[in-house]
Amino acid sequence: MNAFPLPTLGGKVFWADLRVVGGWRIQRHVKSRKYRLLDERDFLRATGSREKCDAALAAAQAEGKALNTSNRLCLLIHGHGRSKDSFKALARELREAGYDAYGVNYPGSQAPAEELIDQIRTLMLDFWQEYEQIDIVTRSLGALLVRGAIHEEEWNRVHRLVMLGAPNQGAYFADWFMKGPMAPLYHATAGPVGKAMGTGPESLASRVGIPKCEFGIIAGGRNNERGFNPLIPGDDDGIVEVSSTKLEGMTDFIVLPVFHAAMIAHKETRRQVHHFLEHGRFDHGVQQSGGD
């Protein structure tokens, strides 16, 4: 283990989290395939082979570090172009409620969907050994990756799942970007998975399954026929149309007056997430308004 840990940016673009324990994470670089171990502050603790990083993690645990604190986990899977840090406020609230709550970094602009799905599946297999109850909260693309990872019958041990702004039927706006005047920029920056975010028969949404657990969906919109974005038909959150977020088998569904990009920062969104995780349904009474 490094005697003098160095700060990092946490691996927001090129690194995939393959194991997370007590906030420490073993990551693999999407290009070089090398591994590293970061602590809960994203300081570098070890680099090299997977075996070396596993050994460094075990040494930290022997010193009383990198330890889980609950038998309940809430796994937080971000959207395209974001990182685990987008869930900071929700993770803090979930920890206060008695969960271990970990955001996951994945190289969404660098790797194909199948590789990202395998990453989520690898993490889940490890978490089965550690926790009695696993809940998941996803944002946007994260929902499709989780759907690809846990739709088989053996994954029915997931307790509950909440999807935020999920393009479950694909995103009309992604079609517009891929075919409109912004197409060159979109193709250059969105990466392989971004190019599969549309609504066609080859889209990621059409290829992933439906979770076996209880799942609720929170959509953003204005509850009218115009939505926030005039380029998108029907109600929408600025990026994803409300109709596209719906999925067969959903336990509950709610629309909140929030933009796609600001959804997880909105206090009412987080309140509804807590309510569904605890009760298996959203609170359809008086909805609080306003963000942070």
Side-chain angles (χ1 to χ4, degrees), residues 21 43 147 189 195 252 263 282 290:
V21 184
F43 276 61
R147 284 177 55 191
T189 60
K195 298 169 187 175
D252 203 356
M263 186 173 292
F282 297 119

Side-chain angles (χ1 to χ4, degrees), residues 13-204:
V13 178
F14 296 104
W15 294 87
D17 292 345
L18 298 184
R19 190 178 183 200
V20 182
V21 184
W24 291 49
R25 56 194 67 236
I26 293 177
Q27 300 181 319
R28 183 179 64 203
H29 196 276
V30 69
K31 303 294 185 184
S32 70
R33 316 306 279 185
K34 292 182 178 179
Y35 296 85
R36 69 181 185 178
L37 172 66
L38 305 184
D39 65 19
E40 75 281 359
R41 300 176 300 157
D42 289 334
F43 276 61
L44 182 65
R45 292 292 187 146
T47 60
S49 68
R50 176 63 191 267
E51 291 75 16
K52 181 178 179 181
C53 292
D54 280 328
L57 177 60
Q61 291 178 307
E63 296 173 359
K65 305 172 184 176
L67 300 176
N68 296 323
T69 60
S70 174
N71 61 2
R72 296 194 300 168
L73 169 69
C74 191
L75 190 61
L76 308 169
I77 311 295
H78 63 81
H80 194 272
R82 303 298 290 270
S83 75
K84 67 178 178 63
D85 292 340
S86 63
F87 281 108
K88 273 186 175 180
L90 179 61
R92 181 178 62 251
E93 292 168 358
L94 288 168
R95 286 193 291 269
E96 291 171 354
Y99 288 87
D100 280 348
Y102 301 133
V104 170
N105 278 341
Y106 61 84
S109 63
Q110 305 295 319
E114 290 72 18
E115 183 172 327
L116 303 177
I117 288 170
D118 284 343
Q119 177 193 342
I120 302 301
R121 188 179 291 117
T122 297
L123 279 166
M124 294 297 297
L125 287 171
D126 189 64
F127 286 135
W128 287 144
Q129 312 303 316
E130 302 289 335
Y131 292 97
E132 296 178 8
Q133 176 182 311
I134 298 177
D135 293 298
I136 305 175
V137 179
T138 68
R139 184 179 178 277
S140 195
L141 169 63
L144 302 185
L145 301 182
V146 168
R147 284 177 55 191
I150 67 164
H151 66 273
E152 293 94 346
E153 193 66 42
E154 62 265 30
W155 296 100
N156 60 6
R157 286 176 54 197
V158 174
H159 181 231
R160 288 176 180 142
L161 163 65
V162 182
M163 305 180 187
L164 310 177
N168 280 315
Q169 309 302 324
Y172 173 88
F173 209 36
D175 291 339
W176 184 88
F177 269 115
M178 285 187 280
K179 298 174 184 178
M182 300 294 289
L185 178 62
Y186 185 83
H187 285 282
T189 60
V193 72
K195 298 169 187 175
M197 291 286 287
T199 61
E202 300 302 317
S203 69
L204 179 58

Side-chain angles (χ1 to χ4, degrees), residues 273-286:
V273 167
H274 283 278
H275 200 277
F276 188 90
L277 293 180
E278 292 300 316
H279 304 288
R281 65 184 186 279
F282 297 119
D283 180 5
H284 293 273
V286 178

Side-chain angles (χ1 to χ4, degrees), residues 143 161-169 214-224 234-237 240-258 263 268-269 272-273 275-277 279-285 287:
L161 163 65
V162 182
M163 305 180 187
L164 310 177
N168 280 315
Q169 309 302 324
E214 293 182 5
F215 65 94
I217 296 171
I218 300 177
R222 299 176 67 184
N223 279 298
N224 60 30
D235 200 7
D236 65 84
D237 64 8
V240 179
E241 55 270 41
V242 170
S243 60
S244 180
T245 65
K246 297 179 180 180
L247 186 63
E248 177 186 354
M250 59 186 177
T251 308
D252 203 356
F253 178 82
I254 194 168
V255 179
L256 301 179
V258 293
M263 186 173 292
E268 176 65 8
T269 302
Q272 293 288 355
V273 167
H275 200 277
F276 188 90
L277 293 180
H279 304 288
R281 65 184 186 279
F282 297 119
D283 180 5
H284 293 273
Q287 295 166 22

